[in-house]
Amino acid sequence: MDLDGARLAVERASVGLAHPAHRAASEQTLIEFRRSPHALPACRHILRTSGVVEACFQASTTLRDAALRDWAALPPEERAGLRQFCLSVLLGSNDNANAAAAPASTMPVVTSQLISVLAVMIKRAWLDVDETSLGTGATQSDYQRVALRVHEHRSRMLAEAEQAVSMSNTPHARVVGLNLFSAVITEFAPSTASPMHLPWDFHERCRVSLQNDFLSAFFSHGVGLAKTAAQTAFAPQGTDDGICVASLRLINTALSWDFQFTGQHGGGFGFGLSDKSAKGENSRASDGLSCDAVKIAPGVGWRDALLLPGAIDWVFTLYASGREAGAASRQSGVASGNTRIKNITSVTANARTAVSNMCALAGDVFPNKTEDPTEQTRRAHFGKCASSLSNALTPARQVVANACAGVGDAEETMADGARSIAALSAIHAPGIFFETSSSSFADTGASPTPLASTLGELTVALLDAGALLLENEGGALDEALRSCMEAWANLAERSRAGQEVGTFVGGGGAVDTDCPFPGQVETSRACAAVFETYLRAGLVAAASAAHEEDDGQEEEGNAGAAALDERLSLAARVGRAAPEESLALLCAAMEGKKNALAQALATQNVDPSETLEELWWLARLTPHVLCDPFEGEFPLPPESIAECTRRWTVNFGDGGNASGQKSPVETASTSYLNVVLLCLDENALAQGAVSPRLIETLCWGASRWVDTYLMPEDVGGSAHASVFGANRPSLSALGLVGDGESRVRGGIAKLANPSPFSEEGGGVHAVDALLKVALVALTRFPGEQSAQRVAAKMLLPALTRRRALCRACGSLESWRSLMECASGALGGMSGGFGNQSVPGSIPTSPTFPPEIHRLVTEAVCRAAEGLAGEQQCQEYITRALFAAGAGLRQIATNPDAVKHPTGELFAVCVLEALRGAARASAARSQAAVFAFFKEHFVSLLVLQSAGVVSAQVSRLSLKLTEEFVEAQACFLAPSNASVLCGHCMKVIETYRVSGRGVLGDHGTTQQQQQQGSLRKERSREAYKEVKALLRMLTHVSSVDADVTASSSLDSGPNSEKLSEAAERGGSMRGGSSRGGGAF
């Protein structure tokens, strides 16, 4: 092979990539070069002789690909020779002592690539000597001998690199060696491994081997060099030729290893996973077992390297020296682009990363209570981290100001410091955050300022600097504030968690549930102050956003709202740490802004925009604080909120305190409902103060509040809170008085003071008011589908989720108005059921989108579960579905109307409404719903036949049948089941006759090109339709099983009783899969 010719060709092709005219030819040349069987010697020649950077880079990449491709065919000497060649180029050495060093050794981009190539080769050769090659007859000594040989083989590859570096004896060589070891760790990590076209087992065995045998050695190697460099005056100034930076990078790379597969406890099903968690004293709050923060848990084997006195102290010293050197250089007027400033910044940044990693240490690396009863090791380590962070982040206002001004690395210092504190809060006990050096850290050199004070100062400084302003969303201030709020939330929840699980032991040695967990009182006070500042800053930010053209959420859609809710949920976690103070602040803010709005509306030439925006923000924040976060199966009041109610009831009873005040939770709920009722203020509506956006948020929050507090059938959080105190609260405090389920079962007598928002404690009035709010959202702003969707999809389902709520709805005039609204919208009328369209004419366009018809009808039909008698259910369902039935009959009379767009839309709305009715089938309403559908089976088949011209109508017809069969399957008596199966057969036959499931032939080539997109669309439609048919058949098969089971019982002694129950619509198998079981 002509090596010089190959070099010239690769050089021309590499340079030609930058020229559009030569790009195609250059790419073809490089591809052929990469596929050449003689690529390896050509790559060596190019890297040894070429001075073109682009050609050397292509050669290094090709060297990696060719080596991996030909690895199995290469002899061991050739494999070792490739590694030696890469080392010689990287270190600038040559086989010929008289020859000049390879030009590639002076090209940073090429050396970086070659380091990666060498790491890949080391990993590829890692299993060349295999410990699994022994046969079944091998003895223990054979295994030991092979294991020793394997370890020697792997150690030799790493040692040859270190030996070459030592022989070069230059700072550049030392940096190359350190970078190589970092690249090896990165290559062995599964998440950053290069593709080698090898099985997963290869990568996993390499990972396990490196972690168990070499990772800690890499770390110790980096620590030794970095510690030596840090003790000189050159490293903090960045004048040590990069050795300290490279060492710190190796340390940080080692600590960034995924230690979750340490296998310390065993039992991980062969994958090194731990299936056991620490018990007893190990599971105390300081272990942070339940927190989601990223933790570095290297295990017991790393304890000496990380926690022995003096082992890592130099990291904190180096970080402080780097900050001081950078500040001194900036004060002396040195330009930011100066090489010295860049070197100092690099040292400081890597030291800061190392400090952040030290803050994230967790797990078994710390001694447990048995090994260290006073936790002195843990406290000493925390003290060092806290001191370093406090020194870097104080004064906080100056740090934040420098970050806003872009001074040096202040922004990175602020962000990393906040993240480090959040990591500490997820790992260490909350009480230690409030301790000073005089109390716990006297021998650690810690800052006398508690870390909680630093965190509080930074949080307030960020809020005062405008971190909540729209212009800072997603920026450094926002991210730092989020970390600070997460830290406060971790402290609050984990101090409470320690109290709840009884891990704090009193003086007598027993669990003392009334004595606060260490740090709990201080955390509550601090969180109350932080929440107050957050509330004040949030209102300022909301007011400033009132005059923006877009608040960010409209442009970003659901993603923007989700991001806002994520930030507010963090603030809510902080606020719930001190519910009495936080709820009082929210009440005062809501009442104040509500009164300010009324005053603004009563005064001419006063713009209420800022007040409305503040109310909108409060309406979004309050449900996060007050209501269930929907993290569990059943909606329950947050634990701290339930505990607040318990404390109030124990201290003051059901009637309130001496001045007649109700509990903070009840007062906050009332205040929030008063804000929601702004939707019913005709003056505010007339003046445009109540916008669809405000209504949408109020309906969203009201739905969360309803699920959490309104007529609860489960004692939930209140009963859960009762176990926290010695005195049990009254039944009213537990939510057991007058609630829906207790009345259904008739188990509890009425007391003088029913629980708030129970069926006899004002709950019915709340239901009535919220139904009127839903009506406003549905009818006041035609075309505002977002507000309509939230009301129909969230608020109405919440108001019909429990039987007591359904009973209350059925007795209210506002509910009848909602039913008339739904029927009128479907019939195209303003109200009532008169003025039906003339048969044969095209129906009037509905005023609701199809989805809203389905959701509203589902809620209306679900409310039938609150009715007592079967006859009442029959009459109610008939009235609720009158408009849908009339529309269905009208379409059946004039099926050609479906061909018209307006008629098609009307048919879609009718089908969607019927889907809602089918979904709402439950134990009490099932018989009435089935009777309605049975009466209209013929009309449904006519509509299905007419819908052959409409993909949407055809699909919804099949979807309706599927959902109806699914909802009715577990309730039907044998006779009704036979009717339903017969209807399903007719549906299938109608679909077969329509030919919609037949795609036809492909046609000619020209026709394929012209109709390709149409055919793809038709295929998607047919897939959805056939899928609905298959699901329907699946549910029909379960109906057949019921029929068979029922028939087998006909001869039994209880056959008459079972048949009677079945004819009444009772379930022989349990609740409906769509919600019957909920009742």
Side-chain angles (χ1 to χ4, degrees), residues 658-792:
S659 59
Q661 279 185 313
K662 299 297 183 181
S663 73
V665 179
E666 183 178 355
T667 304
S669 296
T670 304
S671 297
Y672 182 72
L673 288 180
N674 288 335
V675 173
V676 174
L677 295 185
L678 277 174
C679 300
L680 307 182
D681 189 338
E682 287 297 333
N683 182 36
L685 287 168
Q687 297 190 43
V690 179
S691 64
R693 176 170 171 264
L694 179 60
I695 288 182
E696 177 185 348
T697 295
L698 292 175
C699 289
W700 168 85
S703 66
R704 291 188 61 167
W705 181 86
V706 168
D707 272 332
T708 307
Y709 293 103
L710 190 56
M711 298 186 191
E713 294 178 353
D714 191 291
V715 295
S718 299
H720 177 58
S722 68
V723 304
F724 299 154
N727 301 320
R728 289 190 175 273
S730 64
L731 292 176
S732 174
L734 297 180
L736 290 176
V737 179
D739 64 352
E741 190 65 16
S742 63
R743 286 193 53 186
V744 170
R745 298 176 180 175
I748 298 180
K750 303 176 183 178
L751 295 184
N753 296 314
S755 60
F757 309 110
S758 64
E759 197 167 2
E760 296 180 357
V764 176
H765 298 293
V767 171
D768 187 33
L770 293 175
L771 284 175
K772 294 176 181 177
V773 169
L775 272 172
V776 170
L778 290 169
T779 61
R780 189 77 180 202
F781 302 96
E784 291 290 345
Q785 296 187 20
S786 182
Q788 291 176 336
R789 187 178 295 107
V790 172

Side-chain angles (χ1 to χ4, degrees), residues 284-285 493-504 517 520:
R284 64 193 303 272
E493 293 180 353
R494 295 183 55 244
S495 64
R496 176 171 181 79
Q499 178 71 15
E500 290 175 3
V501 300
T503 56
F504 179 63
F517 191 79
Q520 184 173 0

Side-chain angles (χ1 to χ4, degrees), residues 34 168 187 217 397:
R34 187 165 297 183
S168 296
E187 185 60 44
R397 293 189 182 276

Side-chain angles (χ1 to χ4, degrees), residues 699 774 777-778 786-798 851-856 859:
C699 289
L778 290 169
S786 182
Q788 291 176 336
R789 187 178 295 107
V790 172
K793 193 174 183 178
M794 298 188 69
L795 183 54
L796 289 180
E851 179 189 14
I852 304 302
H853 281 288
R854 182 183 75 245
L855 296 171
V856 173

Side-chain angles (χ1 to χ4, degrees), residues 26-84:
S26 298
E27 289 177 348
Q28 184 63 32
T29 300
L30 293 174
I31 290 175
E32 291 177 359
F33 172 62
R34 187 165 297 183
R35 293 174 178 174
S36 171
H38 308 290
L40 285 176
C43 290
R44 289 190 181 192
H45 182 71
I46 293 172
L47 288 169
R48 189 179 293 116
T49 61
S50 178
V52 180
V53 177
E54 294 85 350
C56 291
F57 181 83
Q58 292 292 338
S60 61
T61 303
T62 304
L63 180 68
R64 178 195 61 197
D65 296 342
L68 291 176
R69 182 190 63 209
D70 302 336
W71 192 266
L74 294 176
E77 297 79 10
E78 182 66 17
R79 299 174 185 177
L82 286 175
R83 297 195 301 271
Q84 292 292 342

Side-chain angles (χ1 to χ4, degrees), residues 394-405:
T394 53
R397 293 189 182 276
Q398 186 63 45
V399 172
V400 173
N402 291 341
C404 294

